[in-house]
Amino acid sequence: MTSNQFDRFGQLGSLLGEFGWDKGRAKAVLGIWLFMFFISLPLSLIFVGLPSLILSIYFSYRSFQRLKETKPVILLYQQGLIDCRKGTPAVIRYDEIKELFLSVARTNGVRNYIVTLETQNVGKLKIDEHVANIERLKVLLEEQIIQIKLPVLIANYQQGNAIEFGQLTLTQEGLLAGKRMLPWSEFESLDVKRSYKSVYLFIYQKGSKKEWFCFSRDYFPNLALFFAFINYITATQGQANMS
């Protein structure tokens, strides 16, 4: 089935990218579970290795299916995406996505992305490193969400409405974190830094070396959209100060 057949009525706009299974990873996983199969096969005769045998058969079969699959499993369009990993295609429009979370973990020096989408209709959707070129998928996904959602946030902000990003609330007066408030006139910068165990979002106040706010990047919703929105606000504040 072609990408045009998936999006029969052109409701999602132009196709931006097609992403299949990561063949190298599928091959490596298949080798691991075949090895486990031959180890657990003799142990299954005394029932000790039976659970391991069942798991090795299941994951070997799944990896083999991914290895021979030639069609894309994730298709990104201008207005939404189509997820074909479970057989029946699931269509998700970007305006239906409530929150996007990004986590990055390093295993044996290899960077692994996990993109988690919380949607209004489909529930929670995870796209992990088993999908090929997931870093580019992540970038395209964030770009389209910003393009669609940022104008809506700006319109609400200009009307005086509070905008929430997880534990933070953005108002025309400043940033709120619980009972603490950081006026825009005292806002210094944003940064994302890696510590020993994780990656964190830092917000700094003018004249202070200690961060005003710190939170794990993995659990902060819509981080790219948050950065884009903060850039808009600070640019607007700068123009207001110059006038």
Side-chain angles (χ1 to χ4, degrees), residues 39-59:
I39 290 179
S40 57
L41 184 59
L43 294 176
S44 66
L45 298 177
I46 54 175
F47 299 103
V48 175
L50 188 57
S52 178
L53 178 65
I54 295 172
L55 287 174
S56 63
I57 292 174
Y58 169 75
F59 285 111

Side-chain angles (χ1 to χ4, degrees), residues 88-123:
T88 302
V91 179
I92 301 172
R93 297 182 63 88
Y94 299 134
D95 55 13
E96 297 174 339
I97 295 174
K98 295 186 295 184
E99 294 179 335
L100 181 152
F101 296 91
L102 172 68
S103 60
V104 184
R106 288 185 178 273
T107 305
N108 298 325
V110 179
R111 181 185 297 175
N112 296 322
Y113 284 94
I114 300 178
V115 179
T116 303
L117 304 176
E118 292 191 1
T119 68
Q120 297 174 1
N121 302 321
V122 185

